[in-house]
Amino acid sequence: MRRRTVALLLAALLAPAGCTGEAADGPELKVDGAFGARPTIVFPAGKPVDELQVDEPAAGKGERLRPGDVAIVQYTARVWNGRDNRLVDSSFTRGTPAAFPVGRLLPGLERALQGRRVGSRVIAAIPPGDGFGANPPRGIAPDEELLYVVDILGAHPKGVSIEARGGSLAGVRVSGGARNGSPPALSVPATAPPARFAAKVLHRGKGRRTQAGQLVVAQYEGAIWGRRRVFDTTWTTGGPRAFKLGDGSLIKAWDRALVGVPTGSRVVMIVPPSDGYGRSGNPAYGVKGSDTLVFVVDVVAAY
């Protein structure tokens, strides 16, 4: 997409939220750069008005964002204080896009992003009352306005799933599943678990292969072998989640099983403690250090 320069007009020149304004003269905040690339932001002198201001300089043609969706975005957020206008956060500093849970964002971001289409660039000047409020995170003062530039790369609804074949691995059985929001049935045998890690692609998708360093969107279910019970599932607890592959943030098994798998695939894995949570386990999920785990993962997308 070609580069373009966008202007948000200041103070009384700014249009109401959700609209764009036109004026012949006046200071401007300028945002330059191609969609999906790190923007260059030039702030004018002074502060913006204390009202939410939103502009959509590039309107996409993809799916609209809805509550419950996981939006995959590239974004930059800065304080707009008329002085240093310092950087608050940016997906570009992490090397991968970010996942925004629509319906659980800052009030100003919710108003700015809901209903926007994939492929859109949205600029939002967010006053304190529509931002973090009276208790902002460290590094942001309660009275500081925020400026977000958000490029919407993708949207994945709560019930997204893969129409996939079932299969088995070392006695573990996974049913086939359709795109109806229901998880595949996961059956763990009463026998002793295998001692070694194992993984199998039950259904091979037709998308591009995942790579280390990418953000992967997945639906998954995890069970404890010895107790034959599910301890975590995204299908019924909030929708898909996004993870970065290959940076040490995941258990070893996920990197081993999911790097190089085409998107649209369903993968089952058997995870001994050494490839899972280790000797400490994961008390928050009731996983002991001696537990072998089973996961079924739908690889929905990768960015």
Side-chain angles (χ1 to χ4, degrees):
M1 184 176 291
R2 65 184 178 86
R3 293 172 63 84
R4 61 184 299 177
T5 299
V6 180
L8 260 180
L9 302 183
L10 279 177
L13 303 179
L14 273 163
C19 303
T20 57
E22 299 292 341
D25 300 298
E28 295 178 343
L29 180 145
K30 296 182 179 180
V31 178
D32 186 32
F35 176 88
R38 186 193 299 267
T40 300
I41 305 171
V42 179
F43 289 88
K47 297 182 180 180
V49 295
D50 294 330
E51 296 178 1
L52 177 67
Q53 308 293 338
V54 180
D55 196 13
E56 187 181 50
K61 298 181 179 180
E63 293 293 321
R64 292 189 183 275
L65 296 186
R66 298 170 297 177
D69 285 358
V70 172
I72 306 302
V73 304
Q74 291 280 25
Y75 79 99
T76 295
R78 305 187 77 97
V79 164
W80 188 352
N81 58 14
R83 299 185 301 277
D84 59 353
N85 303 312
R86 64 189 179 280
L87 182 69
V88 172
D89 198 6
S90 175
S91 59
F92 296 100
T93 62
R94 293 189 290 275
T96 56
F100 277 9
V102 182
R104 292 182 286 154
L105 301 172
L106 298 179
L109 270 183
E110 289 290 346
R111 291 171 61 188
L113 295 181
Q114 275 198 29
R116 306 289 180 180
R117 291 186 181 275
V118 173
S120 297
R121 167 166 285 183
V122 180
I123 304 172
I126 303 175
D130 288 306
F132 293 105
N135 297 298
R138 185 176 179 181
I140 302 175
D143 61 346
E144 288 185 311
E145 180 138 349
L146 301 173
L147 190 284
Y148 275 81
V149 180
V150 182
D151 291 347
I152 306 170
L153 307 182
H156 304 283
K158 183 176 181 179
V160 65
S161 192
I162 291 170
E163 190 173 355
R165 295 182 296 273
S168 63
L169 175 65
V172 173
R173 295 187 176 276
V174 180
S175 70
R179 295 176 179 174
N180 57 5
S182 299
L186 177 62
S187 175
V188 180
T191 57
R196 295 184 178 181
F197 167 81
K200 182 178 181 181
V201 177
L202 301 179
H203 177 89
R204 188 169 295 276
K206 297 181 180 180
R208 292 184 177 181
R209 293 180 180 273
T210 62
Q211 301 177 20
Q214 284 186 318
L215 189 77
V216 170
V217 180
Q219 293 271 38
Y220 72 90
E221 188 165 86
I224 300 172
W225 185 296
R227 281 164 274 172
R228 302 168 69 192
R229 74 169 181 85
V230 171
F231 70 90
D232 190 19
T233 176
T234 59
W235 271 284
T236 58
T237 58
R241 297 181 193 169
F243 311 89
K244 188 172 181 179
L245 290 180
D247 70 344
S249 61
L250 301 174
I251 60 173
K252 187 187 301 182
W254 277 52
D255 285 336
R256 293 183 65 179
L258 300 182
V259 172
V261 172
T263 57
S265 297
R266 175 168 290 170
V267 179
V268 63
M269 63 186 91
I270 298 171
V271 183
S274 59
D275 287 285
Y277 295 109
R279 294 180 181 179
S280 59
N282 191 329
Y285 287 103
V287 177
K288 299 178 181 178
S290 58
D291 283 334
T292 292
L293 308 177
V294 178
F295 288 96
V296 56
V297 182
D298 280 5
V299 183
V300 175
Y303 296 85

